[in-house]
Amino acid sequence: MEKGFLSIILHAHLPFVRHPEHPSFFEENWLFEAMTECYIPLIGMLDRLEDDHIDYRLTLSLSPPLISMLRDELLQSRYLKHLHQLIELAEKEIARTRKAPEFNKLARLYRRFYRHALAVYQNQYHGDLLGAFGKHQALGKLELITTAATHGFLPLLSVSEASVRNQINIGIDTFRTHFGIAPKGFWLPECGYYPGLESFLKDAGIAYFFVDAHSLLNASQPPLNGVYAPLACANGVAAFARDPESSEQVWSSKQGYPGDFDYREYYRDIGFDLDLDYIGPYILDGQIRANTGIKYYRVTGENQPKAIYQPKQARAKAKLHARDFIHKRQQQIDALSGRMDRPPHVVAPYDAELFGHWWFEGPCWLEQVLRIASEASNGIQTISCGDYLKQAPPPQVATPSASTWGAQGYSSYWINETNDWIYPFLHQAGRQLEDFVAELQGVSVNALQERAFNQAFRSLLLAQSSDWPFIIKSGTTIEYANKRITDHLARFNFLYDSLRKGKIDERYLTALEIMDNIFPDIDFRNYCASKT
């Protein structure tokens, strides 16, 4: 019998960014970078584990905006163009560094890396990365789950049951459309939970969700097993808590593995290091510097000149850190076993984009963790939370406390002096749509009106994304985040007014449908006070 269980959960999410009205758009690179540096390497890892018959279980949460973008033909074609540009830039770098052997070796590494990404994307999976993930779910190794429709921060949308219910239900419907099955697990955006949220999850057929540690530790009843076994809410939906120890080992900027001196330095990129005239053709407008993905330096150490990146050293360190991670889980499980009536269950959730994008060696580390964990002598079994519930239902019924996994554990990152202006507008738009839908009970609408109602609903959902207040607080692309919120709310208001006045500009409506083509099967009638 295994001494304990380990569940690793990767949450893959990016906001819906798609701009057909422009020939290229800077923020679309968020998707392209994640595809090249994270999603394709993770698929390669899964393929190798399957080829080597490694017994593992991994959970991957795919958000509806990401699902929609990965299947979008416009973005797929733009991604291929992006990859070809990267290969061209790597070729250019090989020529530029021909008299600097260490840099030249790295330039060649990047060319191989981009060529491999192209081969996997175009030839092996024919542009269908979702199909690749679905293949591994069908093989029984990967459990796929999903999250809210536009990653709306549910605690701050909870003034409207319709908003929360539709964020959850549309997210699940999107997943079902693309994978043919309904997910059993649900990633609460930002792990944002409030008591009562589980009722919407139960109605949607969800068996489990995730919270941060303090949500279970401060539950309505003290948890008998701390965070190392789930709690069952009163309606039977299970809440699994993030393990602080395994989280800190990976996430912490001080103690976490990604900060090791041998790993690649994310913040030194030739997009900022080389002359603008040279790099200009490979950035959006030839003027605003941006990351290209080609990085030649390692973390090195504080207050030291950056040393050149050594890939073999970095891979060796990733293997050492993987063994250290499993060793610490063994110690943790051994210490817990004597105090629990069941095998301890360590739940380790992370943002998927950490692996490969922010932490270049992350996929290598994760592959080694799964390989080492599969060794019979470890006494650890990797498991999905869905499989755990089949083996051992939660031993205790209690209600988790309100919480998030953000700074200070609550909602302060998503509502503060920088972004609190957003929510009155979101709540007002939600009330207006809900009231309008109530007025239409039993009233028929024509095809053009239906399209306008559905597009207004899309605009509201897109405005509700948790990404925009997060970006505003973090101070990164503030102008873009502000514009996205105000644009979506303006589109909602225009369509709402048009519907009220009975004058719909079909040309403008069509343009909005082309730009924001997410959720093609949406039905505005679901935005109502009661369940449908």
Side-chain angles (χ1 to χ4, degrees):
M1 180 178 176
E2 303 296 343
K3 289 184 179 179
F5 299 106
L6 171 64
S7 290
I8 297 177
I9 300 95
L10 304 184
H11 175 51
H13 165 66
L14 292 170
F16 186 74
V17 176
R18 180 182 181 275
H19 290 279
E21 71 274 24
H22 298 283
S24 60
F25 204 82
F26 173 77
E27 281 77 10
E28 288 179 350
N29 285 348
W30 296 346
L31 173 66
F32 303 155
E33 289 170 354
M35 291 169 72
T36 305
E37 299 170 351
C38 175
Y39 309 145
I40 290 175
L42 286 176
I43 289 167
M45 175 197 80
L46 297 175
D47 287 343
R48 289 189 295 274
L49 292 172
E50 182 60 31
D51 289 345
D52 293 343
H53 307 290
I54 300 299
D55 185 20
Y56 76 93
R57 282 292 265 162
L58 180 70
T59 300
L60 177 64
S61 164
L62 294 168
S63 78
L66 178 60
I67 289 171
S68 300
M69 291 188 294
L70 289 176
R71 278 270 163 85
D72 186 85
E73 292 183 1
L74 173 69
L75 293 174
Q76 288 175 337
S77 66
R78 288 185 176 183
Y79 177 61
L80 285 174
K81 180 181 176 183
H82 174 81
L83 268 183
H84 284 292
Q85 278 191 315
L86 287 176
I87 293 168
E88 181 183 312
L89 178 58
E91 295 276 10
K92 195 173 175 180
E93 278 296 280
I94 290 170
R96 186 185 69 84
T97 61
R98 63 188 182 280
K99 295 183 179 178
E102 287 189 290
F103 290 96
N104 190 258
K105 181 172 66 176
L106 289 173
R108 293 177 184 275
L109 177 149
Y110 283 113
R111 182 176 63 179
R112 290 195 301 276
F113 183 75
Y114 297 138
R115 283 178 172 176
H116 176 73
L118 179 62
V120 170
Y121 185 75
Q122 190 171 38
N123 301 331
Q124 185 177 355
Y125 288 108
H126 310 290
D128 186 12
L129 298 188
L130 295 184
F133 289 126
K135 177 187 80 171
H136 288 285
Q137 169 157 277
L139 291 169
K141 303 296 186 182
L142 183 68
E143 179 161 340
L144 295 177
I145 63 173
T146 195
T147 186
T150 57
H151 215 256
F153 187 63
L154 302 180
L156 295 178
L157 298 178
S158 62
V159 298
S160 164
E161 289 190 2
S163 289
V164 173
R165 185 175 62 252
N166 280 286
Q167 279 283 344
I168 291 170
N169 290 351
I170 293 170
I172 292 169
D173 288 345
T174 301
F175 181 93
R176 185 188 292 109
T177 295
H178 288 274
F179 290 102
I181 58 172
K184 288 301 180 185
F186 194 86
W187 182 272
L188 298 177
E190 321 300 355
C191 288
Y193 171 81
Y194 63 91
L197 181 53
E198 64 274 11
S199 65
F200 298 98
L201 299 175
K202 178 74 171 180
D203 290 343
I206 293 298
Y208 69 89
F209 62 95
F210 301 96
V211 292
D212 210 341
H214 61 289
S215 187
L216 254 59
L217 296 176
N218 297 325
S220 60
Q221 298 291 329
L224 300 175
N225 295 302
V227 300
Y228 301 105
L231 291 179
C233 298
N235 63 1
V237 179
F240 289 86
R242 177 168 72 150
D243 167 46
E245 189 175 323
S246 58
S247 174
E248 184 178 47
Q249 279 186 272
V250 176
W251 276 121
S252 171
S253 60
K254 298 295 183 183
Q255 290 83 30
Y257 299 132
D260 186 271
F261 295 169
D262 284 330
Y263 290 141
R264 192 185 75 162
E265 173 59 76
Y266 175 81
Y267 293 101
R268 281 293 300 272
D269 188 285
I270 65 169
F272 295 89
D273 286 349
L274 300 183
D275 290 342
L276 192 58
D277 288 345
Y278 176 88
I279 210 71
Y282 305 96
I283 56 180
L284 182 64
D285 60 1
Q287 298 296 321
I288 301 174
R289 290 187 176 275
N291 285 319
T292 65
I294 297 181
K295 307 171 195 292
Y296 290 136
Y297 295 96
R298 54 192 173 99
V299 173
T300 309
E302 292 184 14
N303 303 318
Q304 295 182 41
K306 296 296 181 184
I308 195 164
Y309 179 57
Q310 303 291 338
K312 287 184 179 179
Q313 274 181 231
R315 286 195 297 273
K317 187 62 66 72
K319 292 178 181 179
L320 285 175
H321 282 158
R323 195 159 291 280
D324 178 71
F325 182 83
I326 292 297
H327 177 64
K328 285 186 166 60
R329 299 292 74 73
Q330 289 171 317
Q331 291 179 319
Q332 188 179 17
I333 286 169
D334 288 343
L336 290 165
S337 294
R339 308 197 300 266
M340 294 179 60
D341 63 352
R342 59 185 53 220
H345 181 207
V346 177
V347 176
Y350 309 105
D351 278 340
E353 291 75 24
L354 170 68
F355 296 86
H357 178 59
W358 298 103
W359 180 19
F360 191 60
E361 299 78 12
C364 175
W365 175 86
L366 181 58
E367 180 174 346
Q368 293 304 313
V369 163
L370 294 174
R371 286 179 182 274
I372 296 166
S374 72
E375 297 169 4
S377 59
N378 284 313
I380 298 175
Q381 179 183 340
T382 55
I383 193 171
S384 75
C385 291
D387 287 342
Y388 179 93
L389 292 176
K390 293 175 185 176
Q391 294 187 22
Q396 187 178 0
V397 176
T399 302
S401 68
S403 57
T404 79
W405 74 347
Q408 302 175 335
Y410 296 99
S411 300
S412 59
Y413 215 90
W414 293 273
I415 184 166
N416 52 70
E417 68 280 359
T418 70
N419 55 30
D420 57 4
W421 61 270
I422 297 168
Y423 300 97
F425 293 109
L426 293 181
H427 297 160
Q428 179 183 356
R431 283 192 301 270
Q432 288 176 316
L433 182 58
E434 188 174 328
D435 290 345
F436 209 163
V437 171
E439 292 174 27
L440 293 173
Q441 293 298 318
V443 177
S444 62
V445 298
N446 63 39
L448 184 61
Q449 289 171 320
E450 181 153 353
R451 286 171 55 196
F453 270 115
N454 287 340
Q455 190 59 38
F457 191 3
R458 280 190 201 95
S459 296
L460 176 58
L461 288 167
L462 288 166
Q464 289 174 341
S465 168
S466 72
D467 299 282
W468 312 132
F470 181 91
I471 288 171
I472 291 169
K473 170 61 176 173
S474 64
T476 51
T477 54
I478 297 175
E479 183 179 350
Y480 181 69
N482 277 319
K483 182 171 171 43
R484 285 297 302 271
I485 295 168
T486 54
D487 279 357
H488 289 309
L489 287 171
R491 292 168 186 176
F492 172 87
N493 289 329
F494 182 87
L495 291 168
Y496 177 83
D497 290 343
S498 298
L499 285 159
R500 282 291 187 194
K501 295 172 183 176
K503 295 181 179 180
I504 299 170
D505 183 338
E506 185 174 8
R507 184 175 178 182
Y508 176 71
L509 173 59
T510 301
L512 293 185
E513 290 171 330
I514 292 170
M515 286 190 287
D516 298 332
N517 66 345
I518 194 170
F519 312 135
D521 300 322
I522 201 171
D523 185 350
F524 74 92
R525 297 172 186 83
N526 291 328
Y527 204 90
C528 55
S530 59
K531 300 173 189 175
T532 56

